[in-house]
Amino acid sequence: EAQVTQNPRYLITVTGKKLTVTCSQNMNHEYMSWYRQDPGLGLRQIYYSMNVEVTDKGDVPEGYKVSRKEKRNFPLILESPSPNQTSLYFCASSSGTERYGYTFGSGTRLTVV
Amino acid sequence: AQSVTQPDIHITVSEGASLELRCNYSYGATPYLFWYVQSPGQGLQLLLKYFSGDTLVQGIKGFEAEFKRSQSSFNLRKPSVHWSDAAEYFCARYNFNKFYFGSGTKLNVKP
């Protein structure tokens, strides 16, 4: 089944403790992206990647890192999480470019205390 | 600024009634337009998309949307709503190498 898989689904962590949210897609998509979803703010793009070793900032990149060493994986790294990063995170992938639409993962609910 | 507006934050309809969710986009060349649905606890699922051609687009789950350039709108419709349609719906557009989401409309379905 074609899908985007994120792990974990739920995570509670403490301020300052580094964490990684994994994202993997099995559709051989070139384009991958991370979004965060907050009430009243909709979805905001954190980082995106147009191909292996090619990443760029989205609208809200502060406090996040990404890497794209393989085509299928696009992990999101929070080096020193803070409470304002409590949010629902989505990984998404697209063939070619975003204009064809995204396939989304099921989301990761992160709470930073 | 490029943006997508969904004027209705919440909508409640009775099961079996028709549905229309509004979406307006700001200035741009012929946009790539999308509707996504997010069920509780789930990721976003693509319902339909418009690139060009016929302005009435059919999607999954019995949904359709109509692109109206003169009104800068891309409203989502369904003739008869089912209880399982209760979810949050997001309109989105792609233009100039950027993807924009609306803030979403939550649909409640009354029995």
Side-chain angles (χ1 to χ4, degrees):
Chain A
E1 180 188 353
Q3 60 185 359
V4 177
T5 303
Q6 289 179 235
N7 281 297
R9 288 293 307 274
Y10 301 92
L11 179 60
I12 301 174
T13 190
V14 297
T15 300
K17 185 177 181 181
K18 181 179 178 181
L19 67 91
T20 299
V21 183
T22 63
C23 173
S24 181
Q25 51 93 4
N26 62 1
M27 296 165 282
N28 202 36
H29 283 172
E30 289 156 355
Y31 199 102
M32 297 185 75
S33 185
W34 276 103
Y35 284 86
R36 62 178 288 175
Q37 184 180 26
D38 301 289
L41 297 176
L43 286 102
R44 295 179 291 168
Q45 190 179 48
I46 304 170
Y47 268 94
Y48 65 92
S49 169
M50 293 200 292
N51 215 324
V52 175
E53 303 291 4
V54 180
T55 64
D56 207 348
K57 296 176 181 179
D59 298 316
V60 288
E62 294 77 21
Y64 304 95
K65 284 176 56 177
V66 293
S67 69
R68 188 91 181 270
K69 293 184 171 57
E70 307 165 279
K71 198 171 187 179
R72 63 183 291 122
N73 296 324
F74 190 44
L76 179 69
I77 303 157
L78 285 73
E79 294 268 1
S80 182
S82 62
N84 65 11
Q85 293 178 297
T86 293
S87 186
L88 179 57
Y89 291 86
F90 288 103
C91 181
S93 72
S94 175
S95 61
T97 69
E98 293 169 299
R99 63 179 179 172
Y100 298 110
Y102 280 120
T103 299
F104 281 85
S106 298
T108 295
R109 171 85 55 192
L110 172 65
T111 302
V112 183
V113 298
Chain B
Q2 310 274 346
S3 69
V4 176
T5 303
Q6 294 180 246
D8 303 305
I9 299 174
H10 287 99
I11 283 186
T12 298
V13 299
S14 297
E15 190 167 16
S18 63
L19 171 70
E20 182 168 28
L21 302 182
R22 296 184 290 164
C23 173
N24 294 96
Y25 62 93
S26 62
Y27 171 81
T30 300
Y32 296 87
L33 294 164
F34 308 84
W35 275 100
Y36 285 88
V37 60
Q38 184 180 25
S39 299
Q42 300 296 317
L44 281 78
Q45 180 184 21
L46 181 65
L47 282 175
L48 48 79
K49 56 190 174 186
Y50 171 79
F51 292 166
S52 65
D54 193 348
T55 56
L56 186 63
V57 181
Q58 302 298 320
I60 62 171
K61 305 187 180 190
F63 285 93
E64 66 178 26
E66 186 171 13
F67 171 64
K68 293 185 178 180
R69 183 187 301 278
S70 61
Q71 298 177 19
S72 297
S73 70
F74 187 56
N75 294 349
L76 182 71
R77 301 195 295 243
K78 187 169 185 178
S80 178
V81 169
H82 187 262
W83 64 266
S84 60
D85 293 323
E88 189 161 18
Y89 292 81
F90 291 91
C91 183
R93 69 173 292 187
Y94 172 83
N95 198 31
F96 297 125
N97 297 316
K98 182 73 176 167
F99 209 88
Y100 302 87
F101 283 94
S103 54
T105 298
K106 285 189 178 174
L107 173 66
N108 294 319
V109 180
K110 290 191 302 185

